[in-house]
Amino acid sequence: AKRVDDLMADSKKLIMLPFSTVGEIFPKVVRDLCRSQGKQAELVVLGGDVEIDKRILEELKDAILHVLRNCVDHGIESPEQRIKHNKPPRATIRIKISAVEGDKVEIQISDDGAGIDIAGVKRSAIQHGIISPSEAQRLGDADVLELVFHSDVSTRTSVTAISGRGIGMAIVRAKAEKLGGRVSLQSRQGQCTTFTLLLPLTLATFRGVII
């Protein structure tokens, strides 16, 4: 039994990599997105040394890119708008990685932008027949934020090359659930938006033969 346990421990070490191995591309992505949008933002990564199963990291990269695009395209205001609202012209996007509950990892991606337009989400959901006008009136803010993960819902009235067609957040939720995790969303209008991914540190499957 000890030999099996040692083998499992060694196998886990072989597939664990620090988050920073996939995070290296994120600052450039944010810079490029901001340049194309005429915006300014600094990406701060905290906990990049936390080790995660490389299979999860590979699956997660696209999901995080979707969220970063959302931060820049939907969340962060132009420098002029930020100054008008007594904010520094350069926004801050934070990715914070931390090990929690022993065998899970929490990844928080937040921006200090405009927050999510609750009324805009309701209008989009009504337009696509997801909820009725009467249902929209009864929904609390937390319930409205859940609608953001529906593939048709977007606060944008036009489609851009960055924002796509409103499917990004649906992809993020599907990816998290496929990995055995979940994603949640908090937002304060005019102040900030935070996406939280809670995922296992490792996938449970190991294949081996003892001879």
Side-chain angles (χ1 to χ4, degrees), residues 62-63 65-67 69-70 73-74 124 128 147-156 159-175 195:
D62 286 344
L65 286 172
H66 275 298
V67 177
R69 290 189 187 103
N70 191 279
D73 197 35
H74 292 264
S124 181
H128 289 92
L147 294 172
V148 170
F149 294 103
H150 195 285
S151 61
D152 291 324
V153 174
S154 175
T155 56
R156 276 198 174 273
V159 174
T160 69
I162 293 176
S163 66
R165 298 184 177 274
I167 63 171
M169 293 305 102
I171 290 173
V172 171
R173 171 156 283 180
K175 188 71 73 174
F195 290 88

Side-chain angles (χ1 to χ4, degrees), residues 4 12 16 37 57 65 76 90-91 94 96-97 101 127 147 152 163 172 174 189:
V4 172
K12 286 184 179 180
M16 300 295 278
Q37 292 273 297
L57 287 175
L65 286 172
I76 293 170
R90 183 180 295 274
R94 284 187 175 86
K96 182 182 178 183
I97 308 98
E101 301 176 23
Q127 180 184 352
L147 294 172
D152 291 324
S163 66
V172 171
Q189 199 157 350

Side-chain angles (χ1 to χ4, degrees), residues 2 20 32 59 68 88 102 105 136 161 167 175:
K2 184 179 185 304
S20 57
D32 291 346
E59 291 280 345
L68 291 176
V105 61
I167 63 171
K175 188 71 73 174

